[in-house]
Amino acid sequence: MYEQNSAQSRSGGVTATGLGKRFGDLWALRNLNLHVAPGTVLGLLGHNGAGKTTAIRILTTLSQPTEGSATVAGFDVVGQATTVRERIGVASQQATVDGLMTARLNLVTIGRLHGMSKTAARQRGDELLEQLDLTDFATALVKTYSGGMRRRLDLAASLMGNPEVLFLDEPTTGLDPRSRGDLWQMLTDLVREGTTVILTTQYLEEADRMADDIIVLDHGQTVAHGTPEELKARIGDDRIDVKVASPSELAVAASALASFVNGESTLDEDLLLVTAPIKSGVRIIDVVRALDESGIEAVDIARREATLDDVFLTLTSPSRPHQEMPA
Amino acid sequence: MSTTPHSNTILTDATIFARRNLEHIRQVPEKLTNVTIQPLMFVLLFAYVFGGAIKVDGAGYKEYLIGGILIQTLAFGMMGPAMSIATDIQEGVIDRFRSLPSRRSAYLLGHYLAEMVGSLLTITILLGTGFIVGWRSHTGFLHVVQAMLLLLAFASAMIWLGLWLGILVRSPDAVMGIGFVIVFPVTFLSNAFVPIQSLPNILQWVASVNPVSVLIAAVRTLFGNPVAPVTKHTWPLDHPVAAAWIYSIALVALGWIIAQRRYRARTTD
């Protein structure tokens, strides 16, 4: 049988120094520095086009860096690409499984290309199909799979080689809430066994939940780097959105909110919206009273969790110093 | 035992890739239509519908026909590999394989091996059908073996050129159009179905310098089938067997080099 590497034998961390990638005149990624300890999870957080996929493609040897260097599991991604490929698993955004083969044969093929025997590949494949709840569809052609099933099979494919380092590009996109929960659970187990994981996401909540460390990317640049706690401390707590009736009320509303918020309010004159990080423990009713006493006609008041947009607003706001922003 | 370092040879990896392509055919047998049913229909169509109207000196039309259809079908055989590799690229499957520790050339070699199985099938079906409608070889064993090897060499050339085409195009849909625009005129403007002497003068020149005519003349020669008289003398057409080997080997080398290069360029960013 194909035995799993024991946790102790794994040395699979990831490092990158000054990693950059230019397409024509555009730097898709610039000066990325990271250090992921073995058995930990790094989240790359950013919008579409922020450079997340470019970073993953370089680290998985699919793309050559324009500048800088990186190692995966201790091996250089350019000079020792084949050795790196033996030690990684990749689930890309596009589920790269073969529609004209059965799920089982997809996995056996990948296992065989990893150098496993037919029986070992078959056994490992069936294990993964079981874990990902695909056993009932093992002999179905993958083209008949739903989007979520394809993603799960793609994940199974990335785990066939029993990787030391697992790369997941927006792994939960297209998954229903239950599959998402299963995936998180599975990742937690893998990390406990010593697997290093780098995942990308557009959702702050997901990065917060999964990652030990988060790098926020924007237009190829690293705009923040830290643990979820550090980031959240900088980003602040929940947000409160107050919609007013006219532009002249924006400033008044902001000053009425001042005693309830941490940091600064942002005013949106188009949407007539005041957004501010709200201190924990503040009661909405007190906010409504304060607004009322200032003579503000609040059209709507909502309290919500901070989103990626708020992260960027906070981190890239010119009034706030942030050390990671490159010159 | 822990994870052993990657120990597959290129050939092992290529065989794994080839199995994958053959599995595609098992799942979607219609993919084989253009290398099985279609040439078979061509044989029947030309043998019984057009054949009566085409005069070939020396022997019956069916003896003449098979060499032409063999080469034409193998030439159209470039579309299959082009389609499969273009589909792999479009679906992103190629990225998955590239992130695995298999060797870069194994992937293309796998496509080639699988397509060669298809070409063998094509040749078998065509010769079998030919035999049924009355085609015969009139030469000895060694000539027949040489004819088979020449057919396989030409098939190899077309497969490598097809792989190159598949990597070149932007989508699988484009393959059909481009393939037809190139292969159709090139194979018909030859001695494949009619003797060159029956063509208008200018087309006689075109057909005489067309390497397809040379390949077909070589196959006919090796099987001892009628080769229509040469009207425009060129060295290749006067020495069809030698020239056919030169063409085939040169095309294999060319196709192999440009396919590998294109693949490298397409998968490097």
Side-chain angles (χ1 to χ4, degrees):
Chain A
M1 111 158 227
Y2 188 78
E3 287 176 35
Q4 308 222 337
N5 273 355
S6 63
Q8 300 91 294
S9 75
R10 290 174 179 275
S11 58
V14 179
T15 63
T17 315
L19 210 57
K21 176 74 186 178
R22 193 182 59 205
F23 293 105
D25 291 336
L26 178 79
W27 284 92
L29 186 69
R30 198 82 204 258
N31 196 29
L32 176 68
N33 294 293
L34 54 85
H35 178 88
V36 192
T40 65
V41 181
L42 170 73
L44 293 175
L45 181 63
H47 289 299
N48 280 331
K52 307 186 301 286
T53 300
T54 305
I56 296 278
R57 286 183 67 86
I58 294 173
L59 293 172
T60 56
T61 77
L62 292 178
S63 184
Q64 308 284 312
T66 311
E67 57 178 35
S69 61
T71 65
V72 169
F75 299 93
D76 188 83
V77 292
V78 178
Q80 295 164 300
T82 307
T83 319
V84 169
R85 289 180 197 142
E86 286 166 12
R87 288 166 168 75
I88 60 171
V90 190
S92 64
Q93 266 184 62
Q94 196 184 9
T96 52
V97 279
D98 192 330
L100 288 182
M101 295 204 293
T102 64
R104 178 178 278 144
L105 205 52
N106 259 287
L107 296 184
V108 169
T109 303
I110 286 160
R112 299 271 288 135
L113 290 169
H114 269 292
M116 297 180 192
S117 73
K118 235 179 262 182
T119 5
R122 168 87 186 245
Q123 192 164 353
R124 174 83 179 135
D126 284 352
E127 256 171 54
L128 287 168
L129 288 172
E130 175 77 42
Q131 275 184 49
L132 285 156
D133 209 13
L134 290 171
T135 305
D136 292 343
F137 309 96
T139 54
L141 277 193
V142 172
K143 68 174 179 186
T144 65
Y145 271 35
S146 69
M149 288 163 74
R150 275 179 95 105
R151 298 287 311 207
R152 266 143 63 204
L153 182 63
D154 199 49
L155 183 69
S158 68
L159 293 171
M160 271 307 283
N162 193 29
E164 286 174 49
V165 185
L166 183 61
F167 294 89
L168 306 168
D169 201 358
E170 302 200 1
T172 54
T173 307
L175 291 189
D176 58 49
R178 198 190 128 225
S179 308
R180 192 170 299 195
D182 290 350
L183 174 71
W184 282 340
Q185 185 52 51
M186 199 167 158
L187 287 184
T188 309
D189 294 344
L190 284 167
V191 171
R192 194 181 303 123
E193 288 161 20
T195 309
T196 309
V197 177
I198 294 189
L199 60 86
T200 73
T201 178
Q202 303 198 32
Y203 305 107
L204 185 60
E205 181 215 352
E206 188 164 282
D208 178 25
R209 169 152 185 184
M210 290 306 303
D212 300 302
D213 233 350
I214 296 175
I215 288 180
V216 184
L217 292 173
D218 187 33
H219 293 97
Q221 308 274 7
T222 302
V223 292
H225 187 176
T227 64
E229 289 66 34
E230 287 167 350
L231 278 179
K232 278 197 289 189
R234 288 175 58 184
I235 295 158
D237 312 284
D238 287 359
R239 291 300 192 276
I240 187 158
D241 292 329
V242 176
K243 187 163 170 91
V244 296
S246 70
S248 58
E249 290 178 321
L250 284 168
V252 189
S255 59
L257 286 174
S259 59
F260 304 109
V261 304
N262 266 326
E264 292 171 27
S265 308
T266 45
L267 312 180
D268 188 321
E269 298 203 349
D270 295 327
L271 296 175
L272 299 175
L273 206 61
V274 182
T275 299
I278 187 167
K279 288 175 182 164
S280 55
V282 168
R283 299 186 310 158
I284 291 287
I285 182 75
D286 295 331
V287 178
V288 176
R289 278 201 193 110
L291 287 168
D292 198 35
E293 281 162 18
S294 319
I296 297 294
E297 290 269 349
V299 177
D300 195 13
I301 298 178
R303 181 184 185 144
R304 57 176 171 81
E305 285 188 0
T307 66
L308 186 54
D309 287 324
D310 300 313
V311 175
F312 284 118
L313 221 51
T314 310
L315 295 175
T316 58
S317 154
S319 61
R320 254 162 217 271
H322 35 82
Q323 69 229 36
E324 282 86 4
M325 185 70 176
Chain B
M1 179 189 119
S2 69
T3 321
T4 49
H6 189 66
S7 53
N8 289 354
T9 62
I10 288 192
L11 204 61
T12 312
D13 281 348
T15 315
I16 297 167
F17 283 122
R19 287 238 177 92
R20 173 179 161 260
N21 287 38
L22 296 177
E23 181 64 20
H24 288 176
I25 291 169
R26 207 172 71 88
Q27 296 297 347
V28 189
E30 306 91 276
K31 275 175 178 281
L32 273 186
T33 322
N34 56 340
V35 294
T36 54
I37 315 281
Q38 192 180 302
L40 196 146
M41 284 171 57
F42 261 68
V43 171
L44 299 178
L45 191 69
F46 275 89
Y48 296 111
V49 180
F50 297 126
I54 306 170
K55 291 283 164 274
V56 180
D57 297 340
Y61 184 67
K62 288 160 192 160
E63 295 271 290
Y64 183 78
L65 177 66
I66 294 302
I69 290 196
L70 274 167
I71 292 296
Q72 191 202 36
T73 308
L74 294 179
F76 271 106
M78 78 184 291
M79 319 264 270
M83 289 287 280
S84 18
I85 204 159
T87 308
D88 278 3
I89 293 175
Q90 191 181 47
E91 286 183 350
V93 182
I94 209 161
D95 274 348
R96 156 76 56 206
F97 294 139
R98 285 179 58 224
S99 70
L100 293 172
S102 69
R103 273 165 251 248
R104 200 200 276 259
S105 45
Y107 170 74
L108 288 181
L109 195 59
H111 270 290
Y112 166 73
L113 291 177
E115 296 295 333
M116 277 306 271
V117 174
S119 296
L120 264 174
L121 187 67
T122 302
I123 296 170
T124 312
I125 288 177
L126 279 176
L127 292 183
T129 320
F131 196 84
I132 292 168
V133 301
W135 166 86
R136 294 290 182 275
S137 166
H138 306 283
T139 51
F141 178 70
L142 286 179
H143 278 87
V144 172
V145 169
Q146 199 192 151
M148 297 298 284
L149 292 176
L150 182 62
L151 288 169
L152 290 175
F154 180 67
S156 302
M158 295 314 290
I159 291 166
W160 283 112
L161 289 172
L163 290 172
W164 167 75
L165 177 68
I167 306 166
L168 196 67
V169 297
R170 283 198 194 85
S171 83
D173 307 324
V175 169
M176 274 306 187
I178 296 174
F180 265 101
V181 165
I182 299 170
V183 182
F184 216 71
V186 168
T187 54
F188 271 96
L189 286 176
S190 73
N191 56 2
F193 299 104
V194 293
I196 290 182
Q197 68 196 56
S198 69
L199 298 172
N201 193 44
I202 293 177
L203 289 186
Q204 286 193 24
W205 277 109
V206 175
S208 298
V209 297
N210 186 352
V212 169
S213 299
V214 177
L215 260 305
I216 293 169
V219 172
R220 285 176 182 148
T221 306
L222 288 169
F223 280 131
N225 295 142
V227 184
V230 177
T231 55
K232 311 289 178 195
H233 287 276
T234 59
W235 186 86
L237 211 51
D238 286 333
H239 307 83
V241 176
W245 276 111
I246 295 171
Y247 278 139
S248 299
I249 290 167
L251 282 176
V252 170
L254 175 75
W256 189 79
I257 290 167
I258 61 179
Q260 302 274 350
R261 272 206 182 166
R262 197 65 230 163
Y263 180 63
R264 205 168 287 255
R266 179 84 188 236
T267 54
T268 303
D269 60 32

